[in-house]
Amino acid sequence: MRLTFLGTGAAGGVPLWGCGCVVCASARIDVSYARRPNCAVVEAGEVRLLLDAGVMDVAERFPPGELLAILITHFHTDHVQGLFHWRWGVGELDVFAPHDAEGCADLYKYPGPLRFRHLSKFETFNVSDVHITPVPLVHSKPTLGYCIEHDGIRVAYLTDSSELPPATATFLTEWKPHTICLGCAYPPGMEGRRNHFDLPEAIALSNDYPSSRIVLMHISHHLDEWLRAHPDALPERMVLGHDNETLDFSGVP
Amino acid sequence: MRLTFLGTGAAGGVPLWGCGCVVCASARIDVSYARRPNCAVVEAGEVRLLLDAGVMDVAERFPPGELLAILITHFHTDHVQGLFHWRWGVGELDVFAPHDAEGCADLYKYPGPLRFRHLSKFETFNVSDVHITPVPLVHSKPTLGYCIEHDGIRVAYLTDSSELPPATATFLTEWKPHTICLGCAYPPGMEGRRNHFDLPEAIALSNDYPSSRIVLMHISHHLDEWLRAHPDALPERMVLGHDNETLDFSGVP
């Protein structure tokens, strides 16, 4: 199994329009500093799944037949905006998502080829030989994390949450993921933040899963800037994800 | 004054995901056949205005200071989707738009640097020395056309309408635009169409404005395909717009 980040940025990505911070300025010059909104692709055997659709050209990247399904964590625009023009296409594609009567804009009204399938928490389902368990998160919209298992490899994808519900924490303790991709938008002491983990919270969470590697994603320019000044702040087992980076789990015991 | 089309496509643009028609197939091979969703930029003296934001990377194309304002015709996603990540930026930018309590997704809730200013029909306003009159159109959401005048040049931008309200038709008759950019999504005889002009209706409309050039936009793959089989179908004074094409009105009497 492999997971490739297409976007590791918080809502607006990096660089932000009009922002003069050192991170946004760097990202305008060197695309390796850029972070697009949330999006990743999982490849497991013959299966390819999209996780969120925050990157705007995902429909172009994946012609029909390239994906078996899309998993949406929640219906904020920075996670679904790549679906807006996709739904005017032709064909059929399963889109698994949390129950959210509102959805986003008129996606439900005009779904086109996108077949929205609403999931119940902790009810494992299969896409071919990939086993997926949706777990509830705590956010300003109904939000699911996805625990993905293939051929004994277990990866949890947990974006956009301010805490782990006890049942989700317990599930993860028993499930023992090899890697947790964890949304972490903010540095320590950020005022006005809400709905997302900051770095101290992410570190505290990582201590509850001592056998898991933690890869941070959904990263704002604030966190990138803070980490430039604190390059040794991440504990062992925790790394920053980057756009276009592939996590390869082949050979993982 | 100049107007450059950034996107001349209907909602999903051209090519559409999964579509095997000759137009979509051509557009995958040759980008000159592609049509992105609705978006244009008007340049008049020192003023640069964006008309709709259907193209997803418009925020990147226009750093702060490049635009004096954005004019939104209506809040369907294919006209505003380029605003979604823009609003997480820093600064201030006026966005003129029709009264629409719903807006699109959470744009009003989190506008960021976008200062939405709701317009009243037929009340002319100025952006520097450009005079703009919003005119009502008939669509499935509150929709405005924009009649733009600078230095004696008059251009009407009328997308997404199924007919012209009588007051709009009368205004245009008296205003005598040099050019009408007209949304025309469909070929003749298209079943199930609604909310947009088809070609016979666009031709009928053009006959009401004999001194105006008509440039079609918001074009679906269906219309492009039909016109390949009927290359002489467009009357004199009517042309198809294309992405990245500039209409230059300098020297117009």
Side-chain angles (χ1 to χ4, degrees):
Chain A
M1 184 155 67
R2 308 193 310 164
L3 183 148
T4 300
F5 291 115
L6 303 183
T8 56
V14 174
L16 288 172
W17 187 81
C19 181
C21 84
V22 64
V23 170
C24 288
S26 301
R28 285 189 198 100
I29 296 166
D30 182 346
V31 72
S32 70
Y33 293 106
R35 298 186 184 278
R36 305 177 82 186
N38 214 69
C39 197
V41 60
V42 167
E43 296 163 284
E46 299 297 305
V47 175
R48 193 180 286 117
L49 303 171
L50 192 70
L51 291 166
D52 278 343
V55 168
M56 293 308 311
D57 63 349
V58 278
E60 292 168 43
R61 292 188 190 208
F62 299 104
E66 294 268 314
L67 294 172
L68 268 188
I70 301 174
L71 310 182
I72 294 294
T73 62
H74 65 298
F75 284 91
H76 276 151
T77 49
D78 60 310
H79 294 254
V80 300
Q81 56 200 3
L83 302 181
F84 286 129
H85 53 280
W86 204 324
R87 46 68 181 266
W88 302 113
V90 177
E92 287 191 347
L93 184 61
D94 285 335
V95 182
F96 296 97
H99 286 277
D100 182 341
E102 197 176 35
C104 186
D106 55 359
L107 272 180
Y108 289 165
K109 188 175 178 185
Y110 302 113
L114 306 178
R115 299 196 299 186
F116 288 101
R117 295 171 176 273
H118 298 287
L119 298 169
S120 297
K121 58 189 181 184
F122 299 117
E123 287 190 5
T124 301
F125 65 102
N126 300 320
V127 176
S128 185
D129 57 350
V130 179
H131 313 298
I132 303 163
T133 306
V135 297
L137 299 177
V138 178
H139 195 51
S140 54
K141 252 178 129 45
T143 300
L144 294 173
Y146 291 106
C147 294
I148 303 168
E149 178 170 3
H150 177 260
D151 203 16
I153 305 297
R154 293 175 167 180
V155 176
Y157 187 85
L158 312 174
T159 185
D160 289 46
S161 198
S162 57
E163 59 182 295
L164 288 192
T168 296
T170 300
F171 177 89
L172 289 168
T173 298
E174 293 170 358
W175 197 63
K176 292 191 182 8
H178 171 267
T179 296
I180 299 174
C181 298
L182 184 67
C184 176
Y186 302 116
M190 182 93 190
E191 286 186 18
R193 71 179 186 81
R194 54 181 186 176
N195 297 324
H196 299 89
F197 290 122
D198 66 9
L199 186 58
E201 291 166 334
I203 291 172
L205 185 149
S206 76
N207 290 333
D208 293 336
Y209 306 100
S211 65
S212 300
R213 172 172 59 156
I214 312 290
V215 184
L216 302 185
M217 58 182 186
H218 207 278
I219 293 161
S220 73
H221 61 157
H222 300 297
L223 178 55
D224 270 333
E225 187 173 22
W226 189 88
L227 285 170
R228 285 193 183 202
H230 302 83
D232 300 321
L234 297 188
E236 207 182 353
R237 296 190 295 111
M238 179 178 284
V239 295
L240 283 190
H242 296 281
D243 286 21
N244 304 313
E245 177 187 9
T246 296
L247 310 179
D248 194 331
F249 307 109
S250 57
V252 167
Chain B
M1 184 156 67
R2 309 193 310 164
L3 184 148
T4 301
F5 291 116
L6 304 183
T8 57
V14 175
L16 288 173
W17 187 81
C19 181
C21 84
V22 64
V23 171
C24 288
S26 301
R28 285 189 198 99
I29 295 166
D30 182 346
V31 71
S32 71
Y33 293 107
R35 297 186 184 278
R36 304 178 81 186
N38 213 70
C39 196
V41 60
V42 167
E43 296 164 284
E46 300 297 305
V47 175
R48 192 180 287 117
L49 303 170
L50 192 70
L51 290 166
D52 278 344
V55 169
M56 292 308 310
D57 63 350
V58 278
E60 291 168 43
R61 292 189 189 207
F62 299 104
E66 294 269 314
L67 294 173
L68 269 188
I70 301 174
L71 310 182
I72 294 294
T73 63
H74 65 299
F75 283 92
H76 276 151
T77 50
D78 60 309
H79 295 254
V80 300
Q81 56 199 3
L83 302 181
F84 285 130
H85 54 279
W86 204 324
R87 46 69 181 266
W88 302 113
V90 177
E92 287 190 346
L93 184 60
D94 284 335
V95 182
F96 296 97
H99 286 276
D100 182 341
E102 196 177 35
C104 186
D106 55 0
L107 270 180
Y108 289 165
K109 187 175 179 185
Y110 301 113
L114 307 178
R115 299 195 300 186
F116 288 101
R117 295 171 176 275
H118 298 287
L119 298 169
S120 297
K121 58 190 181 183
F122 299 118
E123 288 191 6
T124 301
F125 64 101
N126 300 320
V127 176
S128 184
D129 57 349
V130 179
H131 313 296
I132 302 163
T133 305
V135 296
L137 299 176
V138 178
H139 195 51
S140 53
K141 251 177 131 43
T143 301
L144 294 173
Y146 290 106
C147 294
I148 303 168
E149 178 170 3
H150 178 260
D151 203 16
I153 306 297
R154 293 175 167 179
V155 176
Y157 187 85
L158 312 174
T159 184
D160 289 45
S161 198
S162 57
E163 58 182 295
L164 288 192
T168 296
T170 300
F171 177 89
L172 289 168
T173 298
E174 294 170 358
W175 197 63
K176 291 191 182 7
H178 170 267
T179 296
I180 300 174
C181 299
L182 185 66
C184 177
Y186 301 116
M190 183 94 189
E191 287 185 18
R193 70 179 187 82
R194 52 181 188 177
N195 297 324
H196 299 89
F197 291 122
D198 67 7
L199 187 58
E201 290 166 334
I203 291 172
L205 185 150
S206 76
N207 291 333
D208 292 336
Y209 306 101
S211 65
S212 301
R213 172 173 59 157
I214 312 290
V215 185
L216 302 184
M217 58 182 186
H218 206 279
I219 293 161
S220 73
H221 61 158
H222 299 297
L223 179 55
D224 271 333
E225 187 173 22
W226 188 88
L227 285 170
R228 284 193 185 204
H230 303 83
D232 301 321
L234 297 188
E236 206 181 356
R237 295 190 295 112
M238 180 178 283
V239 295
L240 284 190
H242 296 281
D243 286 21
N244 305 312
E245 178 186 10
T246 296
L247 310 179
D248 194 331
F249 308 107
S250 57
V252 167

